[in-house]
Coordinates of all heavy atoms in Angstrom, one line a residue:
P149 N -24.2 8.6 -4.3 CA -23.6 9.7 -5.0 C -24.2 11.0 -4.7 O -23.6 12.1 -4.7 CB -23.8 9.3 -6.5 CG -23.9 7.8 -6.5 CD -24.6 7.5 -5.2
A150 N -25.5 11.1 -4.3 CA -26.2 12.3 -4.0 C -25.6 13.0 -2.8 O -25.7 14.3 -2.7 CB -27.7 12.1 -3.8
A151 N -24.9 12.3 -1.9 CA -24.4 12.9 -0.7 C -23.2 13.8 -1.0 O -22.8 14.6 -0.1 CB -24.0 11.8 0.3
V152 N -22.7 13.7 -2.2 CA -21.5 14.6 -2.5 C -21.9 16.1 -2.3 O -21.1 16.9 -2.0 CB -21.0 14.3 -3.9 CG1 -21.9 14.7 -5.0 CG2 -19.6 14.9 -4.1
A153 N -23.2 16.4 -2.5 CA -23.6 17.8 -2.5 C -23.5 18.4 -1.1 O -23.5 19.6 -1.0 CB -25.1 17.9 -3.0
S154 N -23.5 17.5 -0.1 CA -23.4 18.0 1.3 C -22.0 18.1 1.8 O -21.8 18.5 3.0 CB -24.3 17.2 2.2 OG -23.7 15.8 2.3
E155 N -21.0 17.8 1.0 CA -19.6 17.7 1.5 C -18.8 19.0 0.9 O -19.2 19.6 0.0 CB -18.9 16.5 0.9 CG -19.5 15.2 1.5 CD -19.1 14.9 2.9 OE1 -18.4 15.7 3.5 OE2 -19.5 13.8 3.4
E156 N -17.7 19.3 1.6 CA -16.9 20.3 1.2 C -15.5 19.8 0.8 O -15.1 18.7 1.2 CB -16.6 21.3 2.4 CG -17.9 21.9 3.0 CD -18.5 22.9 2.0 OE1 -17.8 23.4 1.1 OE2 -19.7 23.2 2.2
G157 N -14.8 20.5 0.0 CA -13.5 20.2 -0.4 C -13.4 18.8 -1.1 O -12.4 18.0 -0.9
V158 N -14.3 18.5 -2.0 CA -14.4 17.2 -2.6 C -13.3 17.1 -3.7 O -13.1 18.0 -4.5 CB -15.7 16.9 -3.3 CG1 -15.8 15.6 -4.0 CG2 -16.8 17.0 -2.2
T159 N -12.5 16.0 -3.6 CA -11.5 15.8 -4.6 C -11.7 14.4 -5.2 O -12.0 13.5 -4.5 CB -10.0 15.9 -4.1 OG1 -9.8 14.8 -3.2 CG2 -9.8 17.2 -3.4
D160 N -11.4 14.3 -6.5 CA -11.4 13.0 -7.2 C -10.0 12.4 -7.2 O -9.1 12.9 -6.5 CB -12.0 13.1 -8.6 CG -13.5 13.4 -8.5 OD1 -14.2 12.8 -7.6 OD2 -14.0 14.2 -9.4
G161 N -9.8 11.4 -8.1 CA -8.4 10.9 -8.2 C -8.4 9.5 -7.7 O -9.4 8.8 -7.5
L162 N -7.2 9.0 -7.5 CA -7.0 7.6 -7.1 C -7.6 7.3 -5.8 O -8.2 6.2 -5.6 CB -5.5 7.2 -7.0 CG -5.1 5.8 -6.9 CD1 -5.6 4.9 -8.0 CD2 -3.6 5.6 -6.7
V163 N -7.6 8.3 -4.9 CA -8.2 8.1 -3.6 C -9.1 9.4 -3.4 O -8.5 10.4 -3.0 CB -7.2 8.0 -2.4 CG1 -8.0 7.8 -1.1 CG2 -6.3 6.8 -2.7
P164 N -10.4 9.3 -3.6 CA -11.2 10.5 -3.4 C -11.3 10.9 -2.0 O -11.3 10.1 -1.1 CB -12.6 10.0 -3.9 CG -12.3 8.8 -4.8 CD -11.1 8.2 -4.2
T165 N -11.3 12.2 -1.7 CA -11.3 12.7 -0.4 C -12.4 13.9 -0.3 O -12.8 14.5 -1.3 CB -10.0 13.3 0.1 OG1 -9.6 14.4 -0.7 CG2 -8.9 12.2 0.0
V166 N -12.8 14.2 1.0 CA -13.5 15.4 1.3 C -12.8 16.0 2.5 O -12.0 15.4 3.2 CB -15.0 15.0 1.6 CG1 -15.7 14.4 0.4 CG2 -15.1 14.2 2.9
L167 N -13.2 17.3 2.7 CA -12.6 18.0 3.9 C -13.7 18.2 4.9 O -14.8 18.7 4.7 CB -12.2 19.4 3.4 CG -11.3 20.2 4.3 CD1 -10.0 19.5 4.6 CD2 -11.1 21.6 3.8
R168 N -13.4 17.8 6.1 CA -14.3 17.9 7.3 C -13.8 18.9 8.3 O -12.6 18.9 8.6 CB -14.5 16.6 7.9 CG -15.2 15.5 7.1 CD -16.7 15.7 7.1 NE -17.4 14.7 6.2 CZ -17.7 13.5 6.5 NH1 -17.5 13.0 7.7 NH2 -18.4 12.7 5.7
Q169 N -14.6 19.8 8.8 CA -14.2 20.8 9.8 C -15.0 20.6 11.1 O -16.2 20.4 11.0 CB -14.5 22.2 9.3 CG -14.1 23.3 10.2 CD -14.1 24.7 9.6 OE1 -13.4 24.9 8.6 NE2 -14.8 25.6 10.2
L170 N -14.3 20.6 12.2 CA -14.9 20.4 13.5 C -15.3 21.8 14.1 O -14.9 22.8 13.6 CB -14.0 19.7 14.4 CG -13.6 18.3 14.0 CD1 -12.7 17.6 15.0 CD2 -14.9 17.4 13.8
D171 N -16.0 21.7 15.2 CA -16.4 23.0 15.9 C -15.3 23.9 16.3 O -15.5 25.1 16.3 CB -17.3 22.6 17.1 CG -18.6 22.0 16.8 OD1 -19.0 22.1 15.6 OD2 -19.3 21.5 17.7
D172 N -14.1 23.3 16.5 CA -13.0 24.2 16.9 C -12.3 24.8 15.7 O -11.2 25.4 15.9 CB -12.0 23.4 17.8 CG -11.4 22.2 17.1 OD1 -11.6 22.0 15.9 OD2 -10.6 21.5 17.7
G173 N -12.8 24.5 14.5 CA -12.2 25.0 13.3 C -11.1 24.2 12.7 O -10.7 24.4 11.6
S174 N -10.7 23.1 13.3 CA -9.7 22.2 12.8 C -10.3 21.5 11.6 O -11.5 21.2 11.5 CB -9.2 21.2 13.8 OG -10.3 20.4 14.3
Q175 N -9.4 21.2 10.6 CA -9.9 20.6 9.3 C -9.1 19.3 9.1 O -7.9 19.2 9.4 CB -9.7 21.5 8.2 CG -10.6 22.8 8.2 CD -10.4 23.6 7.0 OE1 -9.3 23.7 6.4 NE2 -11.5 24.3 6.6
Y176 N -9.7 18.3 8.5 CA -9.1 17.0 8.2 C -9.6 16.5 6.9 O -10.8 16.7 6.5 CB -9.6 16.0 9.3 CG -9.2 16.3 10.7 CD1 -10.0 17.2 11.5 CD2 -8.1 15.8 11.3 CE1 -9.7 17.5 12.8 CE2 -7.7 16.1 12.6 CZ -8.5 16.9 13.3 OH -8.2 17.2 14.6
R177 N -8.7 15.9 6.1 CA -9.1 15.2 4.9 C -9.4 13.7 5.3 O -8.7 13.1 6.1 CB -8.0 15.2 3.9 CG -7.6 16.5 3.3 CD -6.4 16.3 2.4 NE -5.3 15.6 3.1 CZ -4.5 14.7 2.5 NH1 -4.6 14.5 1.2 NH2 -3.5 14.1 3.2
I178 N -10.5 13.2 4.7 CA -10.9 11.8 4.9 C -11.2 11.2 3.6 O -11.6 11.9 2.6 CB -12.0 11.6 5.9 CG1 -13.3 12.2 5.3 CG2 -11.8 12.3 7.2 CD1 -14.6 11.8 6.1
V179 N -11.0 9.9 3.5 CA -11.4 9.2 2.3 C -12.9 9.2 2.2 O -13.6 8.9 3.2 CB -10.8 7.7 2.4 CG1 -11.3 6.9 1.1 CG2 -9.3 7.7 2.5
K180 N -13.4 9.5 1.0 CA -14.9 9.4 0.9 C -15.2 9.0 -0.6 O -15.0 9.8 -1.5 CB -15.5 10.7 1.2 CG -17.0 10.7 1.3 CD -17.5 9.8 2.5 CE -19.0 9.8 2.7 NZ -19.4 8.9 3.8
V181 N -15.6 7.8 -0.8 CA -16.0 7.2 -2.1 C -17.5 7.1 -2.1 O -18.1 6.4 -1.3 CB -15.3 5.9 -2.3 CG1 -15.7 5.4 -3.7 CG2 -13.8 5.9 -2.1
F182 N -18.1 7.9 -3.0 CA -19.6 7.9 -3.1 C -20.0 6.8 -4.1 O -20.1 7.0 -5.3 CB -20.1 9.3 -3.5 CG -19.7 10.3 -2.5 CD1 -18.6 11.1 -2.7 CD2 -20.5 10.6 -1.4 CE1 -18.3 12.1 -1.8 CE2 -20.2 11.6 -0.5 CZ -19.1 12.3 -0.7
H183 N -20.3 5.6 -3.5 CA -20.5 4.4 -4.4 C -21.9 4.5 -5.0 O -22.9 4.7 -4.4 CB -20.4 3.2 -3.6 CG -19.0 2.8 -3.2 ND1 -18.1 2.3 -4.1 CD2 -18.4 2.9 -2.0 CE1 -16.9 2.1 -3.4 NE2 -17.1 2.4 -2.2
D184 N -21.9 4.3 -6.3 CA -23.2 4.2 -7.1 C -23.6 2.7 -7.0 O -22.8 1.8 -7.1 CB -22.9 4.5 -8.5 CG -24.1 4.2 -9.4 OD1 -25.1 4.9 -9.4 OD2 -24.0 3.2 -10.1
A185 N -24.9 2.5 -6.7 CA -25.4 1.1 -6.5 C -25.1 0.2 -7.6 O -24.6 -0.9 -7.4 CB -26.9 1.2 -6.2
R186 N -25.3 0.6 -8.9 CA -25.0 -0.2 -10.0 C -23.6 -0.5 -10.2 O -23.2 -1.7 -10.4 CB -25.6 0.4 -11.3 CG -25.4 -0.4 -12.5 CD -26.1 0.2 -13.7 NE -27.6 0.2 -13.5 CZ -28.4 0.7 -14.4 NH1 -28.0 1.2 -15.6 NH2 -29.7 0.7 -14.2
A187 N -22.7 0.5 -10.1 CA -21.3 0.3 -10.2 C -20.7 -0.6 -9.2 O -19.9 -1.5 -9.4 CB -20.6 1.7 -10.3
L188 N -21.2 -0.4 -7.9 CA -20.7 -1.2 -6.8 C -21.1 -2.7 -7.0 O -20.3 -3.6 -6.7 CB -21.2 -0.7 -5.5 CG -20.7 -1.4 -4.2 CD1 -19.2 -1.4 -4.1 CD2 -21.4 -0.8 -3.0
T189 N -22.3 -2.9 -7.5 CA -22.8 -4.2 -7.8 C -21.9 -4.9 -8.8 O -21.5 -6.0 -8.6 CB -24.2 -4.2 -8.3 OG1 -25.1 -3.7 -7.3 CG2 -24.7 -5.6 -8.7
G190 N -21.5 -4.1 -9.8 CA -20.6 -4.7 -10.8 C -19.2 -5.0 -10.3 O -18.7 -6.0 -10.6
D191 N -18.7 -4.1 -9.4 CA -17.4 -4.3 -8.9 C -17.4 -5.6 -8.0 O -16.4 -6.4 -8.0 CB -17.0 -3.1 -8.0 CG -16.7 -1.9 -8.9 OD1 -16.5 -2.0 -10.1 OD2 -16.7 -0.8 -8.3
L192 N -18.4 -5.7 -7.2 CA -18.4 -6.9 -6.3 C -18.7 -8.2 -7.0 O -18.2 -9.2 -6.7 CB -19.5 -6.7 -5.2 CG -19.1 -5.6 -4.1 CD1 -20.3 -5.5 -3.1 CD2 -17.9 -6.0 -3.4
T193 N -19.5 -8.1 -8.0 CA -19.8 -9.3 -8.9 C -18.5 -9.7 -9.5 O -18.2 -11.0 -9.6 CB -20.8 -9.0 -9.9 OG1 -22.1 -8.6 -9.3 CG2 -21.1 -10.2 -10.8
A194 N -17.7 -8.8 -10.0 CA -16.4 -9.1 -10.6 C -15.4 -9.8 -9.6 O -14.6 -10.6 -10.0 CB -15.7 -7.9 -11.2
L195 N -15.6 -9.5 -8.3 CA -14.8 -10.2 -7.3 C -15.4 -11.5 -6.9 O -14.8 -12.2 -6.0 CB -14.7 -9.2 -6.1 CG -13.9 -8.0 -6.3 CD1 -14.0 -7.1 -5.0 CD2 -12.4 -8.3 -6.6
G196 N -16.5 -11.9 -7.5 CA -17.1 -13.2 -7.2 C -18.2 -13.2 -6.2 O -18.8 -14.2 -5.8
W197 N -18.6 -12.0 -5.7 CA -19.7 -11.9 -4.7 C -21.1 -11.9 -5.4 O -21.2 -11.5 -6.5 CB -19.5 -10.6 -3.9 CG -18.4 -10.6 -2.9 CD1 -17.1 -10.4 -3.2 CD2 -18.5 -10.7 -1.5 NE1 -16.3 -10.5 -2.1 CE2 -17.2 -10.7 -1.0 CE3 -19.5 -10.9 -0.6 CZ2 -16.9 -10.8 0.4 CZ3 -19.3 -11.0 0.7 CH2 -18.0 -10.9 1.2
T198 N -22.0 -12.4 -4.6 CA -23.4 -12.3 -5.0 C -24.0 -11.1 -4.2 O -24.0 -11.2 -2.9 CB -24.2 -13.6 -4.7 OG1 -23.6 -14.6 -5.4 CG2 -25.7 -13.4 -5.1
V199 N -24.5 -10.1 -4.8 CA -24.8 -8.9 -4.1 C -26.1 -8.2 -4.7 O -26.4 -8.3 -5.8 CB -23.6 -7.9 -4.2 CG1 -23.3 -7.5 -5.6 CG2 -23.9 -6.6 -3.4
R200 N -26.8 -7.6 -3.7 CA -28.0 -6.8 -4.1 C -27.8 -5.5 -3.4 O -27.7 -5.4 -2.2 CB -29.3 -7.5 -3.6 CG -29.5 -8.8 -4.2 CD -30.8 -9.5 -3.7 NE -30.9 -9.6 -2.3 CZ -30.3 -10.6 -1.6 NH1 -29.5 -11.4 -2.2 NH2 -30.5 -10.6 -0.3
V201 N -27.8 -4.4 -4.2 CA -27.6 -3.1 -3.6 C -28.8 -2.2 -4.1 O -29.1 -2.2 -5.3 CB -26.3 -2.4 -4.1 CG1 -26.1 -1.0 -3.4 CG2 -25.1 -3.3 -3.8
R202 N -29.4 -1.5 -3.2 CA -30.6 -0.6 -3.5 C -30.4 0.7 -2.9 O -29.6 0.9 -1.9 CB -31.9 -1.2 -3.0 CG -32.0 -1.4 -1.5 CD -33.3 -2.1 -1.2 NE -33.5 -2.4 0.2 CZ -34.2 -1.6 1.1 NH1 -34.8 -0.5 0.6 NH2 -34.3 -1.9 2.4

Side-chain angles (χ1 to χ4, degrees):
V152 71
S154 64
E155 297 283 1
E156 302 291 338
V158 177
T159 67
D160 291 322
L162 190 61
V163 184
T165 64
V166 299
L167 191 67
R168 294 278 177 87
Q169 180 169 306
L170 298 180
D171 289 347
D172 65 4
S174 60
Q175 294 183 328
Y176 300 82
R177 293 177 309 148
I178 65 169
V179 177
K180 193 66 178 176
V181 183
F182 299 95
H183 289 286
D184 172 77
R186 181 174 296 180
L188 182 59
T189 298
D191 291 343
L192 289 177
T193 300
L195 293 174
W197 287 75
T198 302
V199 60
R200 302 181 301 282
V201 185
R202 63 185 175 97

